[in-house]
Coordinates of all heavy atoms in Angstrom, one line a residue:
I22 N -14.9 2.9 -7.4 CA -15.5 1.8 -8.1 C -16.6 2.3 -9.1 O -17.4 3.1 -8.7 CB -16.2 0.8 -7.2 CG1 -15.1 0.0 -6.4 CG2 -17.0 -0.2 -8.0 CD1 -15.6 -1.0 -5.4
E23 N -16.5 1.9 -10.4 CA -17.5 2.3 -11.4 C -17.9 1.1 -12.2 O -17.2 0.2 -12.4 CB -16.8 3.4 -12.3 CG -16.5 4.7 -11.6 CD -15.9 5.7 -12.6 OE1 -15.8 5.4 -13.8 OE2 -15.6 6.8 -12.1
F24 N -19.2 1.2 -12.7 CA -19.7 0.2 -13.6 C -19.1 0.3 -15.0 O -18.9 1.4 -15.5 CB -21.2 0.3 -13.8 CG -22.0 -0.2 -12.6 CD1 -22.8 0.6 -11.9 CD2 -21.9 -1.6 -12.3 CE1 -23.5 0.1 -10.8 CE2 -22.7 -2.1 -11.3 CZ -23.5 -1.2 -10.5
I25 N -18.7 -0.8 -15.6 CA -18.4 -0.9 -17.0 C -19.6 -1.4 -17.8 O -20.1 -0.9 -18.7 CB -17.2 -1.8 -17.3 CG1 -15.9 -1.2 -16.6 CG2 -16.9 -1.9 -18.8 CD1 -15.5 0.2 -17.0
D26 N -20.1 -2.6 -17.2 CA -21.4 -3.1 -17.7 C -22.0 -3.9 -16.6 O -21.5 -3.9 -15.4 CB -21.2 -4.0 -19.0 CG -20.2 -5.1 -18.8 OD1 -20.2 -5.8 -17.8 OD2 -19.4 -5.3 -19.7
K27 N -23.0 -4.7 -16.8 CA -23.7 -5.4 -15.8 C -22.9 -6.5 -15.0 O -23.2 -6.8 -13.9 CB -24.9 -6.1 -16.3 CG -26.1 -5.2 -16.7 CD -27.2 -6.0 -17.5 CE -27.8 -7.1 -16.6 NZ -28.9 -7.8 -17.3
N28 N -21.8 -6.9 -15.7 CA -20.9 -7.9 -15.1 C -19.5 -7.5 -14.9 O -18.7 -8.3 -14.5 CB -21.0 -9.2 -15.9 CG -22.4 -9.6 -16.2 OD1 -22.9 -9.5 -17.3 ND2 -23.1 -10.1 -15.1
T29 N -19.2 -6.2 -15.2 CA -17.8 -5.8 -15.1 C -17.7 -4.4 -14.4 O -18.6 -3.5 -14.6 CB -17.2 -5.6 -16.5 OG1 -17.4 -6.8 -17.2 CG2 -15.7 -5.2 -16.4
L30 N -16.8 -4.3 -13.5 CA -16.5 -3.0 -12.9 C -15.1 -2.6 -13.0 O -14.2 -3.5 -13.1 CB -17.0 -3.0 -11.4 CG -16.4 -3.9 -10.4 CD1 -15.0 -3.4 -9.9 CD2 -17.3 -4.0 -9.1
S31 N -14.8 -1.3 -12.9 CA -13.4 -0.9 -12.8 C -13.1 -0.3 -11.4 O -14.0 0.3 -10.8 CB -13.2 0.2 -13.9 OG -13.8 1.4 -13.5
A32 N -12.0 -0.6 -10.9 CA -11.5 -0.1 -9.6 C -10.3 0.7 -9.8 O -9.2 0.2 -10.3 CB -11.3 -1.3 -8.7
T33 N -10.3 2.0 -9.5 CA -9.2 2.9 -9.5 C -8.6 3.0 -8.1 O -9.3 3.4 -7.2 CB -9.5 4.3 -10.1 OG1 -10.2 4.1 -11.4 CG2 -8.3 5.1 -10.2
V34 N -7.3 2.6 -8.0 CA -6.6 2.6 -6.7 C -5.9 3.9 -6.5 O -5.1 4.4 -7.4 CB -5.7 1.4 -6.6 CG1 -4.8 1.5 -5.4 CG2 -6.4 0.1 -6.7
Y35 N -6.1 4.6 -5.4 CA -5.3 5.7 -5.0 C -4.4 5.3 -3.8 O -5.0 5.0 -2.7 CB -6.2 6.9 -4.6 CG -7.0 7.4 -5.8 CD1 -8.3 6.9 -6.0 CD2 -6.4 8.3 -6.7 CE1 -9.0 7.3 -7.1 CE2 -7.2 8.8 -7.8 CZ -8.5 8.3 -8.0 OH -9.2 8.7 -9.1
E36 N -3.1 5.2 -4.0 CA -2.3 4.6 -2.9 C -1.8 5.7 -1.9 O -1.8 6.9 -2.2 CB -1.0 4.0 -3.6 CG -1.4 2.8 -4.4 CD -0.1 2.1 -4.9 OE1 0.9 2.7 -5.2 OE2 -0.2 0.8 -5.1
K37 N -1.5 5.1 -0.7 CA -0.9 6.0 0.3 C 0.5 6.4 -0.1 O 1.2 5.8 -0.9 CB -0.8 5.2 1.6 CG -2.1 4.7 2.2 CD -2.0 3.8 3.4 CE -3.3 3.3 3.9 NZ -3.2 2.4 5.0
S38 N 0.9 7.6 0.4 CA 2.2 8.1 0.0 C 3.2 7.6 1.0 O 3.3 7.9 2.2 CB 2.2 9.7 0.1 OG 3.5 10.2 -0.1
V39 N 4.1 6.6 0.5 CA 5.0 5.9 1.4 C 6.4 6.6 1.3 O 6.9 6.9 0.2 CB 5.2 4.5 1.0 CG1 6.2 3.8 1.8 CG2 3.8 3.8 1.0
A40 N 7.0 7.0 2.4 CA 8.3 7.7 2.4 C 9.5 6.8 2.6 O 10.5 7.0 1.9 CB 8.3 8.7 3.5
G41 N 9.3 5.7 3.4 CA 10.4 4.8 3.6 C 10.0 3.6 4.4 O 8.8 3.5 4.8
C42 N 11.0 2.8 4.7 CA 10.6 1.6 5.5 C 11.8 1.2 6.4 O 13.0 1.5 6.1 CB 10.2 0.4 4.6 SG 11.6 -0.3 3.6
L43 N 11.5 0.5 7.5 CA 12.5 0.0 8.5 C 12.3 -1.5 8.5 O 11.2 -2.0 8.4 CB 12.2 0.6 9.9 CG 12.4 2.1 10.1 CD1 11.9 2.4 11.5 CD2 13.8 2.5 9.9
E44 N 13.5 -2.2 8.7 CA 13.4 -3.6 8.9 C 13.1 -3.9 10.4 O 13.7 -3.3 11.3 CB 14.8 -4.2 8.5 CG 15.1 -4.2 7.0 CD 16.3 -5.0 6.7 OE1 16.4 -6.2 7.1 OE2 17.2 -4.5 6.1
Y45 N 12.1 -4.7 10.6 CA 11.7 -5.0 11.9 C 11.4 -6.5 12.0 O 10.4 -7.0 11.4 CB 10.4 -4.2 12.3 CG 9.9 -4.5 13.7 CD1 10.5 -3.9 14.8 CD2 8.8 -5.3 13.9 CE1 10.0 -4.1 16.1 CE2 8.3 -5.6 15.2 CZ 8.9 -5.0 16.3 OH 8.5 -5.2 17.6
M46 N 12.2 -7.2 12.7 CA 12.2 -8.7 12.8 C 12.2 -9.2 11.4 O 13.2 -9.0 10.7 CB 10.9 -9.1 13.5 CG 10.9 -8.7 15.0 SD 9.5 -9.3 15.9 CE 9.8 -8.7 17.6
D47 N 11.2 -9.9 10.9 CA 11.2 -10.5 9.6 C 10.4 -9.7 8.6 O 10.0 -10.2 7.5 CB 10.8 -12.0 9.6 CG 11.7 -12.8 10.4 OD1 12.9 -12.6 10.4 OD2 11.2 -13.7 11.1
S48 N 10.0 -8.5 8.9 CA 9.2 -7.7 8.1 C 9.7 -6.3 7.8 O 10.8 -5.9 8.4 CB 7.8 -7.6 8.8 OG 7.2 -8.8 9.0
Y49 N 9.0 -5.6 7.0 CA 9.4 -4.2 6.7 C 8.2 -3.3 7.2 O 7.0 -3.6 6.8 CB 9.6 -4.0 5.2 CG 10.8 -4.7 4.7 CD1 10.7 -5.9 4.1 CD2 12.1 -4.1 4.7 CE1 11.9 -6.6 3.6 CE2 13.2 -4.7 4.2 CZ 13.1 -6.0 3.7 OH 14.2 -6.6 3.2
V50 N 8.5 -2.3 8.0 CA 7.5 -1.4 8.4 C 7.6 -0.1 7.6 O 8.6 0.6 7.6 CB 7.7 -1.0 9.9 CG1 6.7 -0.1 10.4 CG2 7.7 -2.3 10.8
Y51 N 6.5 0.2 6.9 CA 6.4 1.3 6.0 C 5.8 2.5 6.7 O 4.8 2.4 7.4 CB 5.6 0.9 4.7 CG 6.4 -0.1 3.9 CD1 6.2 -1.5 4.1 CD2 7.2 0.3 2.8 CE1 6.9 -2.4 3.4 CE2 7.8 -0.7 2.0 CZ 7.7 -2.0 2.3 OH 8.4 -2.9 1.6
F52 N 6.3 3.7 6.4 CA 5.8 4.9 7.0 C 5.7 6.0 6.0 O 6.3 6.0 4.9 CB 6.6 5.3 8.2 CG 8.1 5.6 7.9 CD1 8.5 6.9 7.5 CD2 9.0 4.6 7.9 CE1 9.8 7.2 7.2 CE2 10.4 4.9 7.6 CZ 10.7 6.2 7.3
D53 N 4.8 7.0 6.3 CA 4.6 8.1 5.4 C 5.6 9.3 5.7 O 6.4 9.2 6.6 CB 3.2 8.6 5.4 CG 2.7 9.2 6.7 OD1 3.6 9.5 7.5 OD2 1.5 9.4 6.9
R54 N 5.4 10.4 5.0 CA 6.4 11.5 5.2 C 6.3 12.2 6.5 O 7.1 13.0 6.9 CB 6.1 12.6 4.1 CG 4.7 13.1 4.0 CD 4.5 14.0 2.8 NE 5.4 15.1 2.8 CZ 5.6 15.9 1.8 NH1 4.9 15.7 0.7 NH2 6.4 17.0 1.9
D55 N 5.2 11.9 7.3 CA 5.1 12.4 8.7 C 5.5 11.4 9.7 O 5.4 11.7 10.9 CB 3.7 12.8 8.9 CG 3.2 14.0 8.0 OD1 4.0 14.9 7.9 OD2 2.1 13.9 7.4
G56 N 6.0 10.2 9.3 CA 6.5 9.2 10.2 C 5.4 8.3 10.8 O 5.6 7.6 11.7
I57 N 4.2 8.4 10.1 CA 3.1 7.5 10.6 C 3.2 6.2 9.9 O 3.4 6.0 8.7 CB 1.7 8.2 10.2 CG1 1.7 9.6 10.8 CG2 0.6 7.4 10.7 CD1 1.8 9.7 12.3
V58 N 3.0 5.1 10.7 CA 3.1 3.7 10.2 C 1.9 3.4 9.3 O 0.7 3.6 9.7 CB 3.1 2.7 11.4 CG1 3.2 1.3 10.8 CG2 4.4 3.0 12.2
L59 N 2.2 3.0 8.1 CA 1.1 2.7 7.1 C 0.8 1.2 7.0 O -0.3 0.8 7.1 CB 1.5 3.2 5.7 CG 1.8 4.7 5.6 CD1 2.3 5.0 4.2 CD2 0.5 5.5 5.9
E60 N 1.9 0.4 6.9 CA 1.7 -1.0 6.7 C 2.9 -1.8 7.2 O 4.0 -1.2 7.4 CB 1.5 -1.4 5.3 CG 0.3 -0.8 4.6 CD -1.0 -1.3 5.1 OE1 -1.1 -2.3 5.7 OE2 -2.0 -0.6 4.8
S61 N 2.8 -3.1 7.5 CA 3.9 -3.9 7.7 C 3.7 -5.2 6.9 O 2.7 -5.8 6.9 CB 4.0 -4.3 9.2 OG 5.0 -5.3 9.4
T62 N 4.8 -5.5 6.2 CA 4.7 -6.7 5.3 C 6.1 -7.3 5.1 O 7.1 -6.7 5.3 CB 4.1 -6.3 3.9 OG1 4.2 -7.4 3.0 CG2 5.0 -5.1 3.3
E63 N 6.1 -8.6 4.7 CA 7.3 -9.3 4.5 C 7.9 -8.9 3.1 O 9.1 -9.2 2.9 CB 7.1 -10.8 4.5 CG 6.7 -11.3 5.9 CD 6.5 -12.8 5.9 OE1 6.6 -13.4 4.8 OE2 6.2 -13.4 7.0
D64 N 7.1 -8.2 2.3 CA 7.6 -7.9 1.0 C 8.4 -6.6 1.0 O 8.0 -5.6 1.7 CB 6.4 -7.7 0.0 CG 5.6 -9.0 -0.2 OD1 6.2 -10.1 -0.1 OD2 4.4 -8.9 -0.4
R65 N 9.5 -6.6 0.3 CA 10.3 -5.3 0.1 C 9.8 -4.6 -1.1 O 10.0 -5.2 -2.3 CB 11.8 -5.7 0.0 CG 12.7 -4.5 -0.3 CD 12.8 -3.6 0.9 NE 13.7 -2.5 0.6 CZ 13.3 -1.4 0.0 NH1 12.1 -1.2 -0.4 NH2 14.2 -0.4 -0.2
K66 N 9.2 -3.5 -1.0 CA 8.6 -2.8 -2.1 C 9.7 -2.0 -2.9 O 10.4 -1.2 -2.3 CB 7.5 -1.8 -1.7 CG 6.4 -2.6 -0.9 CD 5.6 -3.5 -1.8 CE 4.4 -4.2 -1.1 NZ 3.7 -5.1 -2.0
E67 N 9.7 -2.2 -4.2 CA 10.7 -1.4 -5.0 C 10.4 0.1 -5.0 O 9.2 0.4 -5.1 CB 10.7 -2.0 -6.4 CG 11.8 -1.4 -7.3 CD 11.9 -2.0 -8.7 OE1 11.2 -3.0 -8.9 OE2 12.6 -1.5 -9.5

């Protein structure tokens, strides 16, 4: 997070490295290149 001015800030996002996902019930379970679970969401990420 950085200041732009007194009322504006910029947020630079650094995302997790996602390797793949599995369908689990009505969600997708996303994991990294080491097989660690990162997130679970109903959204299928392109």
Side-chain angles (χ1 to χ4, degrees):
I22 292 178
E23 295 183 1
F24 281 119
I25 299 298
D26 56 44
K27 287 172 62 177
N28 306 109
T29 306
L30 63 76
S31 71
T33 303
V34 174
Y35 297 92
E36 294 188 327
K37 297 173 181 177
S38 180
V39 180
C42 67
L43 296 172
E44 291 188 54
Y45 180 79
M46 296 184 179
D47 296 324
S48 299
Y49 294 93
V50 179
Y51 293 84
F52 59 91
D53 67 13
R54 58 186 300 170
D55 297 314
I57 305 300
V58 178
L59 300 175
E60 302 290 345
S61 174
T62 173
E63 294 180 358
D64 297 329
R65 174 70 178 88
K66 302 294 183 180
E67 187 178 350

